[in-house]
């Protein structure tokens, strides 16, 4: 496959857009055959006919909805708004990861005209939605409004959204900036016009959602007129509807029946707002121009200063309303207005039985929802704990490996010069990192202790638990916990592990710890260990490894590029694979020698970028980290005999034993030389 990416791939039939010098985007009109041909050519260019696993990445959102409706499988979705600050962006992406575990069908991101929503800022609507798709693997809808925007500007935003992998748009008129709506010269004044424009310029590429108002739009002359306008939006090309919030189930059910009565047949999702606080309720009601029913105000007014009590009531009220909606048999899914909070919404979903944390993974690594990555099913193991970094560094690839990695000479990994992109940055603050990793390091052994505390989940000497490392921003994975005892031993002795997996020989694909892929299969793994260690240890390790060949493959490199390996012909080594009914063998994880050299640069740089820079220049702590960066080696070991007990721990033991023997021999030799020298001096004096 092609690993030499272009800045923007444009097929003969399709142009998603061109980037101007100022960074803005200009759309090119595409025909319906273009998207289809592009998709087909991507499939044909794959180097293997291995069918993609059951990762629901290839279908359109409207198709996913249709399948869920046909099967009676209910779903939920979540709405978020862009944060105001960079730290808020980091927190929101972490929330995406947490709330994504419950299985939302999609999320949507609102469009804030005052927040430069179409820019490359980390707080923009477009960047937040793109990050959710590309780095969190979440199907996402980007809101887009007509407010203060020309037709050309809207087309540019749509072209940029398409290039970034966004496939769904919520077309809205938007709220006026001032008190009244002002017409935009060369723009649109109604959502219907925006829907028509999207279909005209981008044909059927985007799935389009529009807004519905269960009590009628506040500016409409009548409820009936607003329904007619809604039908116009659907007839113009909208695929489904999400409604404004409401407080009574019968309000939505009546609206749904009225829509069906005038010929609106597309899915209509109710917008659910769990009440979470008195002030947030007042603000939202003010913006939406709704009235809170008396039975609700009667309850919350006496407890308006007690946020916990209001939240508990809001959860109870939302659960009761949602149960009525679901029991009606007319509502296939629920859309939640989260206000960027998680507790209340997650509790409502749990009580409804819709929050399902399935421990099974479609693949052993976190998938991206970008359409061009839909066939991707193979990655190097090195980025196992940094999937967002891998996606970032391969974002410009035209195609992605499917079925097998192949001979990857000169893979074109992008540079990772900016370690502080908000979707790559650690979730922990500088103060928190210093508490975990040490306000002051005394020696290399202080670093060994940090790694050991991370492995054991025990507090450090200051009483703080080490919950992350520069190479792993999360606590240990359940699979790694299987190796905890051995990992603790080697880290205490200066084998600083950053990646590992146990050997697995035919565990069911439904295994809660090691399983992945569809049910009915079996998964396999070779034992793998990756670590930093001193040059003295490496010298002993190289001697030891000779007696373990060819069972153990190794790759050893330092920051300067000194490279030692026994990988045959620099070929990739499959370390994870699965066998599933009616499919070819799938091998989603490999150890690739060429990719390891790119990972090496990133792995060593993290010592400086995320650890050393916590300390003052020339401070002892910074110098200790700098010494490790400059002098240690990065090592990976693979035990190819996966049916047998892993020999990698014996390799490490032998390394330490040889090192100790050498040290003792050296000390004995020095003692003997000293003894001889003393004897000679005495003999000379006597003579």
């Amino acid at each position: 496959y092609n690993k030499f990416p272009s800045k923007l791939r444009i097929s003969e039939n399709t142009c998603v857009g061109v980037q101007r010098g100022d960074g803005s985007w200009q759309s090119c009109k595409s025909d319906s055959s273009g998207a289809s041909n592009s998709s087909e050519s991507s499939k044909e260019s794959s180097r293997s006919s291995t069918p993609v696993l059951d990762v629901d990445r290839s279908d359109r959102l409207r198709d996913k909805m249709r399948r869920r409706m046909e099967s009676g499988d209910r779903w939920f979705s979540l709405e978020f708004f862009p944060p105001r600050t960079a730290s808020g962006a980091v927190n929101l992406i972490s929330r995406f990861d947490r709330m994504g575990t419950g299985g939302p069908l999609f999320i949507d991101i609102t469009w804030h005209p005052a927040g430069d929503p179409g820019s490359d800022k980390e707080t923009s609507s477009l960047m937040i939605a793109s990050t959710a798709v590309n780095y969190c693997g979440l199907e996402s809808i980007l809101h887009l409004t007509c407010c203060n925007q020309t037709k050309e500007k809207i087309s540019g935003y749509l072209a940029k959204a398409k290039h970034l992998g966004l496939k769904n748009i919520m077309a809205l008129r938007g709220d006026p900036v001032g008190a009244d709506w002002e017409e935009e010269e060369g723009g649109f004044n109604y959502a219907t016009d925006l829907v028509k424009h999207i279909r005209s310029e981008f044909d059927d590429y985007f799935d389009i959602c529009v807004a519905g108002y269960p009590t009628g739009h506040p500016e409409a002359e009548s409820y009936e007129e607003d329904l007619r306008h809604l039908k116009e939006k659907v007839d113009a090309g909208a695929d489904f509807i999400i409604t404004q919030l409401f407080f009574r189930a019968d309000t939505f059910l009546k609206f749904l029946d009225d829509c069906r009565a005038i010929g609106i047949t597309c899915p209509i999702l109710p917008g659910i707002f769990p009440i979470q606080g008195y002030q947030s309720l007042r603000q939202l009601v003010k913006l939406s121009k709704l009235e809170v029913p008396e039975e609700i105000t009667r309850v919350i007014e006496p407890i308006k200063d007690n946020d916990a009590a209001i939240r508990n009531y809001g959860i109870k009220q939302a659960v009761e309303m949602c149960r009525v909606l679901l029991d009606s048999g007319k509502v296939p899914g629920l859309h939640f207005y989260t206000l960027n909070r998680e507790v209340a919404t997650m509790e409502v979903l749990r009580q409804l039985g819709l929050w399902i944390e399935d421990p099974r993974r479609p693949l052993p690594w976190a998938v991206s929802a970008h359409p061009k990555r839909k066939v991707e099913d193979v990655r190097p193991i090195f980025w196992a704990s940094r999937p967002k970094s891998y996606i970032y560094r391969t974002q410009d690839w035209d195609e992605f490996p499917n079925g097998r990695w192949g001979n990857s000479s000169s893979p074109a990994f992008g540079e990772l010069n900016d370690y502080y992109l908000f979707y790559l940055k650690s979730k922990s603050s500088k103060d928190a990192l210093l508490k975990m990793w040490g306000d002051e390091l005394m020696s290399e052994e202080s670093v060994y202790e940090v790694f050991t505390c991370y492995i054991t989940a025990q507090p450090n000497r200051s009483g703080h638990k080490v919950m992350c490392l520069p190479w792993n921003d999360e606590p240990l994975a359940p699979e790694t916990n299987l190796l905890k005892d051995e990992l603790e031993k080697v880290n205490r002795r200066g084998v600083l592990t950053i990646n590992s997996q146990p050997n697995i020989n035919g565990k069911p694909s439904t295994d809660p710890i090691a399983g992945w892929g569809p049910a009915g299969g079996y998964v396999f793994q070779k034992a793998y260990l990756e670590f930093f260690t001193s040059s003295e240890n490496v010298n002993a390790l190289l001697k030891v490894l000779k007696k373990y060949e060819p069972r153990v493959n190794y790759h050893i490199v330092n920051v300067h590029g000194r490279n030692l390996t026994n990988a045959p012909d620099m070929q990739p080594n499959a370390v994870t694979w699965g066998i599933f009914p009616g499919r070819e063998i799938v091998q989603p994880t490999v150890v690739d020698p060429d990719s390891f050299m790119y990972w090496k640069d990133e792995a060593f740089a993290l010592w400086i970028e995320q650890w050393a820079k916590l300390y003052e220049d020339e401070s002892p702590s910074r110098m200790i980290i700098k010494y490790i960066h400059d002098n240690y080696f990065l090592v990976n070991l693979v035990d190819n005999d996966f049916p047998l007990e892993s020999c990698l721990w014996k390799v490490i033991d032998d390394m330490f034993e040889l090192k100790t023997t050498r040290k003792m021999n050296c000390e004995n030799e020095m003692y003997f030389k000293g003894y001889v020298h003393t004897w000679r001096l005495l003999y000379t004096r006597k003579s």
Side-chain angles (χ1 to χ4, degrees), residues 408-475:
S408 63
S409 57
S410 300
F413 286 92
E415 295 296 324
L416 191 62
N417 295 322
D418 190 349
Y419 289 83
Y420 297 98
L421 294 167
F422 72 97
Y423 38 80
L424 300 179
K425 188 177 180 181
S426 172
K427 297 187 292 290
S428 302
S429 66
K430 179 179 178 180
D431 288 343
L433 293 176
L434 285 170
K435 288 177 180 177
M436 288 188 284
W437 302 346
D439 290 304
E440 184 178 4
L441 303 175
M442 307 305 295
S443 64
E444 293 170 63
E445 285 70 22
S446 300
V447 176
Y448 302 173
E449 183 179 327
V450 172
F451 276 78
T452 304
C453 288
Y454 173 70
I455 294 295
T456 60
Q458 295 299 313
N460 60 20
R461 294 186 181 186
S462 301
H464 300 285
K465 282 193 173 184
V466 181
M467 304 303 294
C468 66
L469 291 173
W471 306 268
N472 307 275
D473 204 37
E474 302 287 346

Side-chain angles (χ1 to χ4, degrees), residues 43-241:
K43 292 176 184 176
E44 291 171 4
S45 67
S46 170
R47 293 175 28 164
S48 170
S49 60
T50 301
V52 179
L53 288 178
D54 294 338
V55 185
D56 202 4
R57 293 183 282 170
S58 59
D59 290 340
R60 306 181 66 124
L61 180 53
R62 64 194 184 198
D63 295 329
K64 295 178 184 179
M65 288 185 183
R66 175 182 50 77
R67 284 204 312 275
R68 293 286 191 101
M69 293 168 70
E70 290 172 353
S71 66
D73 187 11
R74 293 163 173 170
W75 74 81
F76 70 92
S77 52
L78 306 168
E79 179 169 297
F80 301 92
F81 58 83
R84 294 181 180 180
T85 64
S87 60
V90 175
N91 293 335
L92 183 58
I93 299 309
S94 298
R95 186 165 288 114
F96 288 170
D97 289 336
R98 289 193 298 273
M99 298 191 77
T101 62
L105 185 62
F106 64 88
I107 69 169
D108 69 312
I109 307 298
T110 62
W111 184 269
H112 283 197
D116 203 3
S119 72
D120 292 335
K121 293 178 181 177
E122 54 204 357
T123 56
S124 76
S125 302
L126 199 53
M127 286 299 102
I128 293 294
S130 170
T131 300
V133 167
N134 288 288
Y135 300 101
C136 303
L138 296 172
E139 184 87 57
S140 302
I141 300 176
L142 174 68
H143 288 213
L144 186 61
T145 71
C146 307
C147 183
N148 286 349
Q149 302 200 101
T150 63
K151 184 185 299 185
E152 290 74 19
K153 202 170 185 180
I154 287 173
S155 294
Y157 288 145
L158 289 165
K160 186 175 180 180
K162 182 176 181 181
H163 174 68
L164 292 172
L166 294 164
K167 301 177 294 181
N168 312 293
I169 298 293
M170 186 161 189
L172 304 163
R173 188 201 72 170
D175 296 322
V177 176
D180 300 311
W181 179 266
E182 295 183 6
E183 293 192 6
E184 177 72 28
E185 185 176 351
F188 304 115
N189 295 304
Y190 300 100
T192 303
D193 298 328
L194 180 54
V195 174
K196 290 178 180 177
H197 177 71
I198 296 171
R199 288 287 177 238
S200 172
E201 289 291 306
F202 294 86
D203 198 72
D204 202 36
Y205 174 80
F206 291 106
D207 282 7
I208 301 177
C209 174
V210 293
Y213 298 86
T215 58
H217 193 283
E219 296 178 20
E221 292 184 5
S222 67
Y223 173 75
E224 292 72 22
E225 181 196 45
D226 191 51
L227 284 179
R228 288 193 294 272
H229 287 319
L230 180 58
K231 188 172 188 308
E232 288 175 2
K233 289 189 281 189
V234 175
D235 292 343
D239 297 293
F240 58 99
I241 298 166

Side-chain angles (χ1 to χ4, degrees), residues 8-20:
L8 175 62
R9 189 181 189 197
I10 304 176
S11 73
E12 184 176 341
N13 298 312
T14 306
C15 172
V16 304
V18 293
Q19 194 168 20
R20 304 186 184 100

Side-chain angles (χ1 to χ4, degrees), residues 286-360:
K286 179 181 177 181
L287 291 173
S288 58
K289 300 179 180 178
L290 294 173
E291 290 187 8
V292 181
E294 183 183 350
E295 64 267 24
I296 292 178
T297 57
R298 191 168 56 244
V299 173
I300 65 173
E301 278 295 335
I303 57 173
K304 63 182 180 181
D305 295 324
N306 187 334
D307 285 345
I310 288 184
R311 183 173 62 245
N312 290 337
Y313 168 74
I315 291 170
K316 177 176 178 293
Q317 186 266 342
V319 168
E320 291 174 352
M321 185 175 71
C322 290
R323 281 183 175 146
V324 174
L325 295 173
L326 295 173
D327 291 345
S328 72
K330 300 177 181 180
V331 177
L334 305 170
H335 185 71
F336 285 83
Y337 296 105
T338 69
L339 297 186
N340 288 11
R341 302 176 187 172
E342 53 193 288
V343 175
T345 298
M346 288 167 62
E347 182 59 30
V348 171
L349 289 167
R350 286 192 176 100
Q351 291 191 30
L352 293 172
L354 295 178
W355 184 270
I356 302 173
E357 294 190 17
D358 189 349
R360 288 184 302 157

